[in-house]
């Protein structure tokens, strides 16, 4: 039964994603003088550190779409949707909006597949869960009476080859895959975690 549920879940998501690809944009794209003016404004803001990327993805035309907050010289802010790497001279402003959520809704949607592994499934069964949670290990250290108790908990967290694989190893994998994702977006402007 599980394979059928996986297939149904994957196809439901694909159908929703395909429908989303054909939704009408919430606002018309900029053109002519307004397009040049906003693009120049965004480039100048980027050069002076006043353009803060908020979110990014690839659209169906394989363009990098970035939602960014543009700080004007009078200390007001505008959300802008950009096509292309914000650091590239070819970046173009698609539109300007009241806030980031409005900009996301008005922009071309992300492609249905994942950036790193287009064939990956969020519904496929994952590997075995860790046998010991961090909370349990922390409690064991709090209650430890001997050095060996703490050493055992530390070994559990750092275990690279055991059946459960330690939390530090999984954390290392997590940070590595986040870095791969950022690299796959093709721009150095995005941090793994905003505000860190």
């Amino acid at each position: 039964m599980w394979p059928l549920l996986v297939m149904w879940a994957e196809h439901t998501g694909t159908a929703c994603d395909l429908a989303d690809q054909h939704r009408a944009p919430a606002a018309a794209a900029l053109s002519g003088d307004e397009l040049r003016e906003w693009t120049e404004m965004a480039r100048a803001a980027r050069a002076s550190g006043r353009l803060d990327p908020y979110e990014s993805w690839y659209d169906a035309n394989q363009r990098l779409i970035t939602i960014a907050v543009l700080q004007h010289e009078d200390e007001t802010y505008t959300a802008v949707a950009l096509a292309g790497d914000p650091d590239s001279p070819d970046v173009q402003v698609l539109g300007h909006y009241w806030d980031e959520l409005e900009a996301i809704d008005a922009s071309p949607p992300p492609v249905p597949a994942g950036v790193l592994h287009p064939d990956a499934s969020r519904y496929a069964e994952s590997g075995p869960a860790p046998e010991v949670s961090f909370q349990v290990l922390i409690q064991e250290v709090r209650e430890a009476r001997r050095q060996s108790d703490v050493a055992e908990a530390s070994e559990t967290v750092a275990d690279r080859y055991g059946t459960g694989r330690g939390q530090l190893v999984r954390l290392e994998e997590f940070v590595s895959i986040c870095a791969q994702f950022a690299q796959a977006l093709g721009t150095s402007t995005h941090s793994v975690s905003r505000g860190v």
Side-chain angles (χ1 to χ4, degrees):
M1 178 106 171
W2 182 253
L4 294 175
L5 289 173
V6 169
M7 184 177 73
W8 178 81
E10 287 177 343
H11 289 186
T12 300
T14 300
C16 290
D17 285 335
L18 288 173
D20 197 37
Q21 293 295 322
H22 296 288
R23 69 173 160 80
L30 299 178
S31 60
D33 292 338
E34 193 178 15
L35 172 67
R36 282 188 290 281
E37 178 185 337
W38 276 94
T39 298
E40 288 172 13
M41 195 182 318
R43 287 179 186 154
R46 184 66 182 161
S48 63
R50 295 181 292 110
L51 187 70
D52 182 26
Y54 175 78
E55 177 64 280
S56 61
W57 61 84
Y58 280 106
D59 71 358
N61 296 322
Q62 298 182 345
R63 293 182 304 175
L64 178 65
I65 304 297
T66 301
I67 306 302
V69 177
L70 189 153
Q71 179 184 356
H72 300 282
E73 292 178 2
D74 64 358
E75 300 297 318
T76 60
Y77 296 88
T78 303
V80 292
L82 309 170
D85 186 332
D87 291 325
S88 165
D90 298 329
V91 69
Q92 193 173 50
V93 174
L94 298 176
H96 54 92
Y97 308 93
W98 177 254
D99 63 18
E100 297 91 338
L101 296 179
E102 183 186 2
I104 289 170
D105 288 342
S107 299
V111 291
V115 170
L116 290 179
H117 298 286
D119 56 348
S121 168
R122 71 176 67 185
Y123 305 103
E125 293 183 77
S126 58
E131 293 181 17
V132 183
S133 71
F134 250 132
Q135 290 80 5
V136 170
L137 292 168
I138 290 169
Q139 191 61 32
E140 285 181 5
V141 172
R142 282 190 180 130
E143 297 171 356
R145 295 187 180 152
R146 294 181 298 275
Q147 183 273 337
S148 60
D149 295 336
V150 175
E152 187 176 323
S154 298
E155 186 177 338
T156 301
V157 170
D159 184 19
R160 187 172 293 277
Y161 306 106
T163 55
R165 297 185 58 221
Q167 287 90 338
L168 289 180
V169 175
R170 288 194 309 281
L171 178 60
E172 179 184 25
E173 290 173 4
F174 174 76
V175 171
S176 175
I177 199 78
C178 287
Q180 289 176 32
F181 180 85
Q183 195 172 30
L185 286 177
T187 175
S188 59
T189 61
H190 300 83
S191 61
V192 170
S193 176
R194 188 168 187 248
V196 175

